[in-house]
Amino acid sequence: MDKEKLLMDLFQAYFDARKHKRNIVNQINFEIDYERNIIELCEEIINRTYQVRPSICFIVDKPVKREIFAADFRDRVIHHLLFNYINPVFDKIFIEDSYSCRKKKGLYMVLKE
C-alpha cells in the first residue's frame, strides 16, 4: 500500500474516531501529539508490528447496570480505518431494510418509516 495514501486514510480515520469522543482522556492524550501518533500507527501497519492495546473497563448504571469494555483510542482509529475500507464493499450487498450502522439509515430512519 502507498504510504502517503495510508497516512491520509489514517488522518481521516482519526477525525472520524474523535467525532463523539472529544472530552475522553484517551482521546485527549492521543490528540496532544496526534500527528506523531498517526505517523507511528502508519509505520506499525506498514512494518506489520501493530498490536491492539488493552481495553478500558468501567461500569455504567443507565439504563441498567453493566460492564463496558472500551477500546483504547488508538485502536478506535484503526477500527475507523478498517470501517472506511470495508464499508463501501459491504454496504452494496445489504438489503434495503438493514439499518444498523449505515449512513443515512439508523434508528431515526427506522422510526420514521
Side-chain angles (χ1 to χ4, degrees):
M1 171 174 269
D2 178 21
K3 184 176 180 177
E4 194 172 307
K5 167 90 168 92
L6 178 58
L7 265 174
M8 296 306 294
D9 292 344
L10 278 165
F11 273 100
Q12 182 59 55
Y14 162 70
F15 290 120
D16 293 344
R18 79 176 194 171
K19 198 171 285 181
H20 299 290
K21 305 288 181 190
R22 294 305 302 262
N23 294 321
I24 294 173
V25 173
N26 252 343
Q27 187 277 326
I28 294 168
N29 287 337
F30 189 93
E31 187 159 329
I32 289 170
D33 199 3
Y34 77 95
E35 291 170 334
R36 182 185 59 79
N37 288 325
I38 290 173
I39 291 168
E40 187 177 291
L41 271 175
C42 183
E43 293 297 327
E44 289 178 21
I45 291 169
I46 289 170
N47 296 330
R48 297 177 184 235
T49 58
Y50 169 77
Q51 290 192 358
V52 176
R53 292 190 177 168
S55 296
I56 299 155
C57 179
F58 57 93
I59 307 262
V60 295
D61 292 325
K62 305 238 168 141
V64 295
K65 192 170 192 172
R66 64 191 189 281
E67 196 174 36
I68 304 290
F69 289 89
D72 187 83
F73 184 78
R74 183 177 190 269
D75 296 328
R76 289 184 54 79
V77 172
I78 298 297
H79 297 166
H80 281 271
L81 177 73
L82 294 173
F83 176 82
N84 291 341
Y85 284 157
I86 67 173
N87 184 53
V89 174
F90 284 102
D91 196 59
K92 292 176 188 173
I93 61 173
F94 288 148
I95 63 172
E96 197 57 37
D97 292 335
S98 178
Y99 288 89
S100 182
C101 300
R102 294 180 68 197
K103 291 182 185 199
K104 298 183 182 176
K105 295 277 188 169
L107 184 60
Y108 176 74
M109 292 302 290
V110 171
L111 296 173
K112 193 175 173 182
E113 287 189 3

